[in-house]
């Protein structure tokens, strides 16, 4: 009879830490899922690649010093490369971890497993790609309830929502919505329609791969929109409000942390939805509105208070009672968030009214 330490019975699956094995399996599945999304995203980008920029827009963009650094094609390539790197790491690390388990070394990579699993969970399991169809339909009905008709323009870099009768008005205010990490631009559409109902021109930035980046893409979108709608804007009074959800705080931080007034993008204010004060905005000279949900599992009012020393100089805080993290946008599911005590439409309406009155 073989010695117990060398018996094959020492290697059954039942002897493994089942929770760690489950994490390893999820890591592999997550890597495969990201790979499929990357391949699909590249195909979609190629299929939807349209020359939407007018000659005026191109001329205006070339005149902007900061935007010369922006290359839409290069940004898409680098974002896809980041997604590929994460996918390959997931696919390679899962079998490696299982091999370690099989050979009896049970804990040397435990912390790395949990860290990597956290990344995969944030990137994959939230199911933030796309939009909740019911929420979008409901939002359009609510926003159009007073006989308002909207025009929606989609490009590779943004979604633009305006009133169909904009030729009869001159917009004085526009809002740029920047979705959080791995949240698609489509998921921000219900919120955007609520804002458009308040009389704003609304644009949603579409970061390639859902990766929040610096402010250059935002500027590119703004210059293109201003050139596209030149005749519909009161350029003497026109101001932009920048609204960032969750990790989009990073994008706003790259532009406003040092007190810069948004460069040549004339800025009215900045708004943070479901953001903790993790980035330092103490030098920011632009009015800032922090909107939190009392049930937010990621940026609770308590967490915000603990880091309040980092908020902007001119800051207003508003807490939505019963609101959570996910319902600032409209996607299907997000683990580790707390259940909301109000509906998604109620939270979106309260948020849009607070921004309109700020």
């Amino acid at each position: 009879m073989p010695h117990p330490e060398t018996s094959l019975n020492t290697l059954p699956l039942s002897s493994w830490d089942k929770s760690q094995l489950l994490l390893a399996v999820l890591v592999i599945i997550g890597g495969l899922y990201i790979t499929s999304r990357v391949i699909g995203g590249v195909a979609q980008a190629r299929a939807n690649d349209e020359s939407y920029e007018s000659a005026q827009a191109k001329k205006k963009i070339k005149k902007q010093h900061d935007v010369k650094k922006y290359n839409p094609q290069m940004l898409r390539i680098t974002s896809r490369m980041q997604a590929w790197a994460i996918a390959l790491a997931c696919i390679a690390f899962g079998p490696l971890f299982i091999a370690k388990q099989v050979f009896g070394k049970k804990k040397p990579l435990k912390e790395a497993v949990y860290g990597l699993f956290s990344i995969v969970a944030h990137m994959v399991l939230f199911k933030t790609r796309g939009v909740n169809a019911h929420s979008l339909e409901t939002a359009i009905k609510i926003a159009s309830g007073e006989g308002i008709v909207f025009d929606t323009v989609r490009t590779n870099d943004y979604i633009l929502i305006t009133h169909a009768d904009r030729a009869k008005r001159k917009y004085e205010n526009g809002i740029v919505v920047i979705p959080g990490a791995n949240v698609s631009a489509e998921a921000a559409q219900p919120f955007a329609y609520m804002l458009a109902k308040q009389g704003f021109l609304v644009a949603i930035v579409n970061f390639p791969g859902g990766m929040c980046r610096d402010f250059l893409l935002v500027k590119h979108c703004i210059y293109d929109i201003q050139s596209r709608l030149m005749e519909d804007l009161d350029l003497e009074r026109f101001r932009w409000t920048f609204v960032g959800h969750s990790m989009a705080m990073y994008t706003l931080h790259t532009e406003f942390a040092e007190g810069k007034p948004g460069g040549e993008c004339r800025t009215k204010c900045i708004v943070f939805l479901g953001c903790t004060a993790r980035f330092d905005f103490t030098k920011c000279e632009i009015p800032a509105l922090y909107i939190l949900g009392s049930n937010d599992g990621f940026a609770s009012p308590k967490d915000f208070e603990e880091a309040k020393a980092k908020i902007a100089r001119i800051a207003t805080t508003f807490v939505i009672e019963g609101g959570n993290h996910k319902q600032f946008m409209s996607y299907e599911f997000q683990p580790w968030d707390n259940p909301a005590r109000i509906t998604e439409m109620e939270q979106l309406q309260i948020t849009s009214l607070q921004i309109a009155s700020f």
Side-chain angles (χ1 to χ4, degrees):
M1 181 175 179
H3 191 278
E5 291 184 359
T6 60
S7 172
L8 293 177
N9 291 333
T10 61
L11 299 177
L13 292 177
S14 59
S15 68
W16 293 9
D17 184 330
K18 293 182 179 180
S19 63
Q20 289 184 343
L21 177 60
L22 177 60
L23 291 179
V25 173
L26 289 175
V27 167
I28 296 173
I29 294 174
L32 293 172
Y33 179 80
I34 294 178
T35 302
S36 67
R37 295 298 305 184
V38 170
I39 294 173
V42 171
Q44 184 178 9
R46 289 175 179 173
N48 294 336
D49 192 15
E50 53 184 350
S51 56
Y52 60 86
E53 295 177 356
S54 65
Q56 274 189 329
K58 290 180 179 178
K59 289 179 181 178
K60 191 170 184 66
I61 289 171
K62 287 179 180 178
K63 292 179 181 179
Q64 309 300 334
H65 175 71
D66 288 337
V67 181
K68 287 180 181 178
K69 303 175 186 176
Y70 173 71
N71 184 320
Q73 289 73 25
M74 184 56 65
L75 180 58
R76 294 189 187 104
I77 291 172
T78 55
S79 295
R80 299 298 175 190
M81 288 176 66
Q82 289 178 355
W84 270 109
I86 294 173
L88 291 174
C90 295
I91 294 171
F93 190 80
L96 177 61
F97 174 67
I98 292 176
K100 289 285 186 181
Q101 290 288 335
V102 169
F103 290 104
K105 299 178 182 179
K106 292 189 174 182
K107 293 186 178 180
L109 299 177
K110 183 176 179 180
E111 294 300 322
V113 170
Y114 280 102
L116 186 60
F117 175 71
S118 177
I119 295 174
V120 175
H122 280 76
M123 294 298 297
V124 182
L125 302 182
F126 283 10
K127 291 180 65 178
T128 57
R129 310 307 298 162
V131 60
N132 184 314
H134 175 71
S135 297
L136 179 58
E137 182 181 355
T138 304
I140 293 175
K141 285 182 179 179
I142 294 174
S144 305
E146 300 174 3
I148 303 173
V149 179
F150 298 103
D151 279 344
T152 303
V153 176
R154 291 177 174 82
T155 74
N156 279 332
D157 293 328
Y158 61 83
I159 299 174
L160 176 64
I161 299 174
T162 59
H163 288 224
D165 65 344
R166 61 179 180 274
K168 300 178 181 178
R169 66 175 71 206
K170 287 286 186 180
Y171 279 111
E172 295 183 5
N173 293 286
I175 293 180
V176 175
V177 178
I178 308 172
N182 204 42
V183 179
S184 64
E186 288 77 10
Q189 282 185 264
F191 175 50
Y193 279 110
M194 294 297 184
L195 292 170
K197 180 186 177 183
Q198 305 300 324
F200 295 103
L201 174 160
V202 185
I204 309 167
V205 180
N206 181 29
F207 279 100
M211 303 271 190
C212 296
R213 303 290 290 268
D214 60 29
F215 208 74
L216 287 177
L217 176 58
V218 180
K219 287 185 177 181
H220 169 81
C221 295
I222 287 172
Y223 297 143
D224 187 63
I225 292 168
Q226 290 181 172
S227 299
R228 180 191 289 270
L229 302 178
M230 187 77 70
E231 296 180 357
D232 302 321
L233 307 180
D234 185 343
L235 295 178
E236 293 297 321
R237 300 182 179 180
F238 193 84
R239 295 292 185 273
W240 288 101
T241 293
F242 298 98
V243 180
H245 170 242
S246 192
M247 276 304 295
M249 174 179 263
Y250 165 74
T251 303
L252 296 175
H253 184 264
T254 62
E255 179 67 15
F256 299 105
E258 298 301 322
K260 293 183 292 185
E264 296 186 26
C265 307
R266 292 181 293 180
T267 306
K268 176 183 177 184
C269 62
I270 52 178
V271 181
F272 303 97
L273 306 180
C275 299
T276 59
R278 68 178 69 190
F279 295 106
D280 190 347
F281 279 85
T282 53
K283 295 181 181 179
C284 180
E285 301 172 355
I286 295 173
L289 172 62
Y290 293 82
I291 302 180
L292 307 166
S294 64
N295 287 35
D296 195 321
F298 290 85
S300 68
K302 180 180 178 181
D303 293 335
F304 181 83
E305 286 296 323
E306 291 176 354
K308 201 170 182 178
K310 294 183 179 181
I311 66 174
R313 294 179 182 177
I314 310 172
T316 301
T317 306
F318 181 82
V319 178
I320 301 176
E321 290 299 326
N324 67 359
H325 193 78
K326 181 181 78 70
Q327 290 189 166
F328 284 115
M329 298 286 123
S330 299
Y331 45 90
E332 296 289 345
F333 173 70
Q334 181 166 327
W336 304 305
D337 195 9
N338 298 318
R341 300 198 310 271
I342 60 176
T343 67
E344 182 179 293
M345 286 301 113
E346 287 175 327
Q347 185 165 338
L348 292 180
Q349 286 180 299
I350 293 171
T351 303
S352 62
L353 287 171
Q354 285 298 316
I355 293 173
S357 61
F358 183 64

